[in-house]
Every structure is written in structure tokens, then in C-alpha cells.
Amino acid sequence: MAIPPNTLFPPKAPSLPFATLEYEQRYQDQLLNDLRRYFNTLDSTLGLLVGAGSGGGKYVRFPYGAFQSSVDQTATVNTATVMTFNVTDYSNDVSVVSSSRITAVNSGIYNLQWSGQFENTDTVLHNANVWIRVNGTDVVGSNGLVTVPNKHGGINGHTIAAWNYFVQLDAGDYVELWWSTVNAGVSLQTYIAGTSPVHPTTASVIATLSFVSALPA
């Protein structure tokens, strides 16, 4: 069976031969060969794992996920509303379940980063709140307040908000982004690609979840 190219095998300590009562070259050769093979394997594994240059770290695969929304999102005034995602950019043991639940396969400390493209169609500036829930429970202290500029000169007000959180997740836990607004004129918007100058489309919401560390002992 072929071994996947991104597989690392931990070095296994050799079973060294017992020493002879008297000096014997055959015993010494066997001992040194066993040790040489072990240390060569150890050097190779550590070099691939943490070594410098193009080969160092190329087999390290921490869990991660990157997601975005390509649709506009609205909320009922003063009502908690979950942000949703319909595009997966990258995924390794992190996925979106039920369109909003960013779910981790592995336990650990994770870095959740997000950004939202807010728009305000009203002529008065308005606030929006953004916070996180883990497994459906609000996380204390996670709320942030965003002030979205008012419509002016016939142009809707725009602002992009972004920050990050560290969250502790057990295997199978999920984290969600929730928001609310005091006025129906505030929404999360997508925009088409532009031509003057040329620029790509705008997602209404973007989120990434990246593994940071194993859980504290």
C-alpha cells in the first residue's frame, strides 16, 4: 500500500542488542548501525517538522477553516440574528454545519476571525451589535458595537467591521456569529465586481477558524 506523501511516522526507539561479556566487533557494528538508523530517522522527521527552508514544517496540518457569504443578510430590528455562510474557501477538520455553525473536529484553543460589510440606507447613522455563541450560548464579553455611517449625497453609508476572538472548543463544539441592529436600514451586503478600477466581488461576511493550541492540561 502506498504511503501518503504528507504522512509523518514518529521515530521508534530501536531494540538494542545485549552487550557481550567480552569485546566483539560484530556486536559493536550492530549496535552502532541500529543507533545510526534511529538517529537518521529522528533527524529526518524533525527536519520535516520544524526545519528551516522549503522542507521545514510542510507536513504540519493544523485544523483550519475559511468561509464566506455571497448573499445579502438582513435582521429584524432589535432581534438576535445569526450570520450564515454559503461558501467554503478552505477546510481541514473545521466545517460549517447548518449554514452557521463553524464546527471543530478536534479539541483545542482556536482563533476565530471575522469581518462584515455593513451598509446603511437610512439618513441617520445607526449601531449594530456583533457577538459570538458557543454551542448556542452567548459568550460573556464577546459583544462588539459597530456604528454604520448614514446615507449621504444619495450614497448609502458603508463600513467594514473586523476583529477576532480566542475560543475554547471540545471535539464537535461549534461557534456562531450573531448580530442585531436598531434600524432595518442596516444590513450585511455583498457587492459585484467593479470595472473602474477593476476589483473583485465583496462578501457580506467572512470568517476563519484556526487551531492555536491543545487545551490546557
Side-chain angles (χ1 to χ4, degrees):
M1 182 177 65
I3 298 174
N6 61 346
T7 300
L8 281 179
F9 294 99
K12 183 179 180 181
S15 178
L16 299 176
F18 291 103
T20 58
L21 293 177
E22 297 180 358
Y23 174 81
E24 183 177 331
Q25 183 175 348
R26 183 174 58 182
Y27 162 78
Q28 293 294 330
D29 290 343
Q30 181 181 351
L31 175 64
L32 293 176
N33 283 334
D34 288 343
L35 291 175
R36 186 179 298 109
R37 283 194 297 267
Y38 173 70
F39 286 117
N40 285 342
T41 303
L42 186 62
D43 285 347
S44 176
T45 301
L46 289 177
L48 291 172
L49 187 62
V50 297
S54 60
K58 68 179 180 181
Y59 292 147
V60 177
R61 296 185 61 193
F62 292 122
Y64 57 82
F67 316 98
Q68 61 177 286
S69 173
S70 63
V71 297
D72 301 335
Q73 301 190 35
T74 58
T76 302
V77 172
N78 294 324
T79 301
T81 304
V82 69
M83 296 182 186
T84 60
F85 305 90
N86 64 344
V87 177
T88 296
D89 295 313
Y90 303 98
S91 178
N92 177 45
D93 285 343
V94 175
S95 62
V96 170
V97 177
S98 300
S99 76
S100 65
R101 299 177 175 181
I102 305 174
T103 306
V105 172
N106 305 288
S107 300
I109 303 297
Y110 287 82
N111 184 13
L112 172 67
Q113 300 189 64
W114 82 283
S115 67
Q117 178 62 66
F118 287 93
E119 180 178 281
N120 184 5
T121 60
D122 195 24
T123 54
V124 178
L125 58 81
H126 293 292
N127 292 334
N129 291 78
V130 180
W131 67 97
I132 60 173
R133 290 180 178 175
V134 174
N135 297 334
T137 301
D138 291 339
V139 175
V140 176
S142 67
N143 180 68
L145 189 64
V146 179
T147 299
V148 187
N150 57 290
K151 183 176 182 176
H152 50 281
I155 299 175
N156 293 337
H158 304 91
T159 191
I160 189 165
W163 56 80
N164 71 293
Y165 310 87
F166 269 29
V167 292
Q168 178 175 316
L169 302 175
D170 291 322
D173 284 353
Y174 65 89
V175 60
E176 293 175 305
L177 287 158
W178 286 74
W179 72 294
S180 67
T181 176
V182 298
N183 186 276
V186 175
S187 61
L188 291 160
Q189 288 288 316
T190 61
Y191 303 118
I192 62 174
T195 57
S196 181
V198 174
H199 60 268
T201 58
T202 301
S204 58
V205 183
I206 294 174
T208 62
L209 187 68
S210 306
F211 181 86
V212 175
S213 172
L215 294 177

